[in-house]
Each structure stands twice: as structure tokens, then as C-alpha cells.
Amino acid sequence: MSNPFRDLPSVTKLLDAPALVAARARHPAALITEAARAALDALRSKIAAGEPVSASAGELAERVAAQLDAAAAPALRGVINATGVVLHTNLGRSPLHEEAARAAYEAARGYLNLELDLDTGKRSSRQSAVRGGLCAVTGAESATVVNNCAAATVIALRAVAAGKEVVVSRGQLVEIGGSFRIPEVMAVSGAALREVGTTNVTRVSDYERAIGPNTAALMRVHCSNYRVRGYTKSVELADLVALGRKHNLAVIDDAGSGQLIDLVPFGLPGEPLISESISAGADLVLFSGDKLLGGPQCGIIAGRADLVARVEMDPLMRAFRLDKMTLAALEATLRLHRDPARARREIPALRMLTTPLTELRARCESFAEWLREIPGLTVGIREDEAFVGGGSLPDVSVPTCVLALSSAVVSESEFAARLRTGVPAVLARVQDGRVLLDLRCVLEGQEAGLLDAVRAAVG
Ligand SMILES: *Cc1c(COP(=O)(O)O)cnc(C)c1O
């Protein structure tokens, strides 16, 4: 009787099989040996459990090589965003403009005058590279930047109100997702939250009644990811500023998505612009760099110079400061914003948000012709809504045009799962028994990959 343990190849034989010899060019020898041993151990366990195994050295070597390749593949890789959600937090929010990406790349691979004034040879602040650009696009007296808007909120509240009270409307106690919740952020900052009003109605008098000797600031928070509808009242920023002036209190505006350009002419709803918050008199305005600014992940604090200086003196500034790559990308993005028309046309997030429906429909129609050549695939085109983004303006939709696909071979959920796990990975929407592809966020040069991905998913 043959002994199945004896039929297994030796480690040496396995390592000498062509697939693992070829793998030596891609993987360290020690990892190959370890993987080969582990594969043989797994087979021995199966035999011991009475399971049938059949493995020639050649086949087994191929399996081990495939496992090694899979383990060495980068965990972070590019995906095709066919969801139509422009600022998709789970997909990295805003793609950078070519000039911003290049600036980050150059900063990454060399040395730069990050904290050095080349004229004087003296140490300088890394903030000086972006302060001017931030003031120019916001109209603020001064500005500084940290890792994200959550950090901006924490450090701004510490500077203005640590150990004191900050008055916020109950209608604005938002959770942005992850763990950004206004009451908790406030607690971390050392400021005490003083809630006023109700979920749907808050009046100036509610804020005023809450002001006492320990009040340091009034704060407005943008309801980024929800809306209160029906019978509602909230206080305009200008009225909050007037109240703040009367009682000598700072007014902080957590504006969130950081819109710099009016997008109403492009069919988007009116959102307060950062420059409007500044001109309304907010003492500090906080917003993200990777939402409607269209830049790298960061949090911007713009406003009164004395308060910005106080923020920069906080020891947390060291913990929250930007790295050189992000700073370089931000500087380049701000330079693009000096010409708002160019920024709208060229910054990817803004371009994608404002792509006209007619252009999207034309893209859908020509892409549909390619798709219709795939056997067993039913291709329709329909009008739908695209959303601005997860933690940014999820309530704000823009009319869009999508490809609605169904397959004779796979269910819509299996179809979408195959797209998601393929190479390149494609993220689509599933609705009414169809897989929907929105080309709005499919970047130039990704269409061939998308076509291949669909073909593979239904093949
Ligand atoms: C998105 C958002 C934040 C959090 O910004 P991050 O940059 O993701 O940290 C905070 N406040 C508001 C109002 C937001 O919309």
C-alpha cells in the first residue's frame, strides 16, 4: 500500500521546480523556502485528517509562487471609482491635480527648503510656504494648516476655549463618521460644550441666554452629512458674529467641505463659501483640504492673526503638523485656486463635479458601444443622481448619466463583487437588479481597464 506522506515531494524538489526557481527573481530565498515548507505542512495535515491530496511538485510550486506573489502585492492600489461619489472618503477623497501630485513627488524624493529661509539662511516656519496662498484664497488675515479638519477643530478649540465653554446649537452636534463627533472632539480639546436650542430650531436668543462668565466662543458647525427639514430655524453666521462682538467672544465656523468657488452656475446647490465666512466676520474658519478644495488631506485654520498665532504655539501643533509631501501638494493646489476658472476646469474633484450631463451622456453612449460587444451583457443608459461625497456633502446630488448593466451569467451582487475583487478593482453601484457604472469619476486613461474588468467579471 502506498504511503501518501511518501508521495509528497521533498522541500528541495519543490524549490527546484520551475515556478519556484523563477520566483527567486521576485522574492527573498528565505521566504520561498518558508512558503514551500508551509505548503507541505498543510498537505501533511490534510493527509493526517484522512483527506485525499494530489500534488505534483510542479503544480504545488505554482501554487506556492502564486501565494508569494499575492502576499507581496501592495495593499494599497489604485481603483476605478465608478460609484459617481466624487469625494469618496473610503477611496481617498480628492484625487490631486497633476501639478500637485508632481510637487508631492519632487518633495518626497529630495531635499527642500521646508523650514529654511534661503535668503537669510535662518530657520523658518514650514507654514510660510502655504500661509500666503491660504490667505489669498480665503481672504483671511492669517492661516495655518494641520493634518485634517478634525485636528483643526481640536487645536482651534484648545487655543480659543480650553477650560471654558463653547456654545453650539443642538441642531449642529454632528457626527462626520469615524469618530468625529462634536461633543467628543470638544471633550478632547478641553473645552466644555454648552448645547443650546433644539434639534430643529435654534434662535439668537438661545445662544445669548447661554452666555455666562465662563463662555469663550460661539461655534457653528456645518451639517455636512445630514439635513434638518420641515420647521427649522438656525442662526446666520453674521448674526452669530454680531452676538460674539457684543459679548467679546470668538466665533468659530467649522465649515467642513471648504468650498472656495461658487458652483451654483454648474448646477450645484448654494453652499457658503469660505471667503463669505471670513467676510461675515468669523474669527476662525476650519475646513478640510481634500474635500471641495480638491487638494491633499489636511485641515485649514483661517482667520484672525492673533488666534492663528495662538494655535501655532500649542505643543499639539508639532503632533498635528503636515509632512513635506502634503505641504508641497497643498501649495500647488492653492496656486491653481488663484485662477478660479482654471481651478474649476482642472482640479479633478471640481472638474468631475461640474462635468455637464450632455458630456457624460456622450461618454456613456460611446462606452456602451464597446460594452455591447461583450456576450451575455445587457447594457442600458439611464439618468441618475451622483453624490458629492461621504463626509462632505452626501446630501448634495448632481444629475448624472449611468450605464446600467446586467449579465446572463451572474447576479448583480456577484457581478459587483467580481468587479471589486478584480484587477484593476472597480467600485460600482448596485440598484434595481443592475450594476450601475457612473463614468463621472472614471479618470482619463482608465476606460480600457474598466472595459477589461467588465469583460472579466461576466466571462
Ligand atoms: C469633513 C468634516 C470634518 C472632518 O474633516 P476631516 O478632514 O475628515 O478630518 C469636520 N467638520 C465638518 C463640518 C466636516 O464636514
Side-chain angles (χ1 to χ4, degrees):
M1 211 172 95
S2 87
N3 179 345
F5 290 103
R6 287 258 172 83
D7 293 341
L8 290 178
S10 67
V11 174
T12 315
K13 185 148 183 237
L14 193 52
L15 292 175
D16 286 338
L20 286 185
V21 171
R24 288 181 208 164
R26 307 188 298 277
H27 304 288
L31 287 188
I32 299 177
T33 309
E34 194 183 307
R37 287 220 167 92
L40 288 169
D41 283 346
L43 288 181
R44 278 186 207 105
S45 305
K46 274 194 174 173
I47 294 169
E51 289 176 44
V53 302
S54 75
S56 74
E59 280 165 10
L60 192 53
E62 273 168 30
R63 275 208 316 262
V64 172
Q67 278 166 9
L68 284 163
D69 289 343
L76 288 177
R77 49 206 163 99
V79 305
I80 295 179
N81 176 6
T83 63
V85 180
V86 178
L87 300 173
H88 199 306
T89 301
N90 302 150
L91 302 182
R93 281 197 193 153
S94 168
L96 293 181
H97 186 278
E98 193 58 35
E99 285 176 19
R102 196 168 299 281
Y105 172 81
E106 294 296 341
R109 63 197 302 274
Y111 295 106
L112 73 169
N113 58 337
L114 182 64
E115 294 184 346
L116 191 81
D117 183 327
L118 293 177
D119 291 330
T120 61
K122 296 222 164 69
R123 186 178 171 177
S124 68
S125 160
R126 65 177 64 205
Q127 300 287 344
S128 53
V130 291
R131 205 187 307 280
L134 288 172
C135 291
V137 298
T138 59
E141 190 183 6
S142 185
T144 195
V145 60
V146 291
N147 263 321
N148 49 38
C149 191
T153 312
V154 169
I155 203 166
L157 284 168
R158 273 164 65 94
V160 172
K164 300 213 165 144
E165 281 184 7
V166 179
V167 187
V168 185
S169 161
R170 288 201 166 88
Q172 298 174 354
L173 297 177
V174 312
E175 172 176 314
I176 298 294
S179 54
F180 185 95
R181 304 172 113 198
I182 290 296
E184 283 150 36
V185 166
M186 194 78 78
V188 165
S189 77
L193 171 63
R194 181 69 196 268
E195 305 170 29
V196 296
T198 61
T199 306
N200 58 326
V201 174
T202 305
R203 300 188 174 84
V204 175
S205 54
D206 293 318
Y207 287 93
E208 187 149 33
R209 263 202 310 278
I211 296 171
N214 206 27
T215 309
L218 310 174
M219 182 166 169
R220 177 176 83 160
V221 185
H222 191 288
C223 303
S224 290
N225 50 6
Y226 69 104
R227 290 290 179 270
V228 183
R229 283 180 225 277
Y231 177 61
T232 67
K233 274 190 196 339
S234 59
V235 175
E236 293 291 324
L237 186 62
D239 296 329
L240 218 50
V241 168
L243 185 65
R245 296 274 152 82
K246 182 170 155 199
H247 294 274
N248 200 22
L249 302 172
V251 173
I252 301 174
D253 183 22
D254 178 1
S257 55
Q259 190 161 340
L260 296 180
I261 299 172
D262 183 13
L263 298 176
V264 171
F266 301 93
L268 279 107
E271 274 288 313
L273 303 183
I274 298 302
S275 56
E276 289 170 349
S277 291
I278 295 288
S279 58
D283 296 288
L284 289 178
V285 182
L286 321 174
F287 58 101
S288 299
D290 53 348
K291 294 181 182 174
L292 292 174
L293 182 79
Q297 180 196 301
C298 61
I300 293 152
I301 303 168
R304 258 170 54 192
D306 61 321
L307 295 182
V308 170
R310 215 190 294 167
V311 166
E312 287 183 344
M313 264 148 45
D314 190 322
L316 266 191
M317 194 66 191
R318 172 66 186 234
F320 288 177
R321 72 185 184 183
L322 290 198
D323 65 280
K324 61 180 183 173
M325 295 169 284
T326 310
L327 262 176
L330 177 62
E331 191 202 352
T333 306
L334 291 170
R335 219 172 15 247
L336 292 161
H337 270 283
R338 287 184 173 223
D339 176 354
R342 180 175 178 215
R344 206 279 309 158
R345 277 196 317 271
E346 290 190 12
I347 290 179
L350 296 173
R351 188 190 63 230
M352 295 187 291
L353 271 175
T354 59
T355 305
L357 193 54
T358 48
E359 188 180 321
L360 280 171
R361 184 173 301 113
R363 267 181 90 183
C364 275
E365 277 163 9
S366 53
F367 200 65
E369 286 187 24
W370 295 103
L371 289 172
R372 289 198 176 106
E373 294 184 0
I374 300 175
L377 189 69
T378 307
V379 183
I381 295 179
R382 54 161 98 154
E383 298 212 341
D384 200 47
E385 283 178 308
F387 288 87
V388 176
S392 323
L393 299 168
D395 191 50
V396 175
S397 67
V398 278
T400 201
C401 188
V402 297
L403 293 153
L405 311 183
S406 58
S407 157
V409 270
V410 284
S411 70
E412 70 276 13
S413 55
E414 173 63 17
F415 189 174
R418 288 189 187 178
L419 286 172
R420 194 185 65 243
T421 52
V423 180
V426 174
L427 282 301
R429 292 216 302 276
V430 175
Q431 201 176 293
D432 313 328
R434 299 275 184 282
V435 167
L436 304 185
L437 301 181
D438 189 331
L439 300 182
R440 181 181 293 275
C441 308
V442 174
L443 306 178
E444 256 170 61
Q446 285 187 327
E447 285 183 355
L450 180 57
L451 186 63
D452 286 345
V454 173
R455 197 179 285 126
V458 297

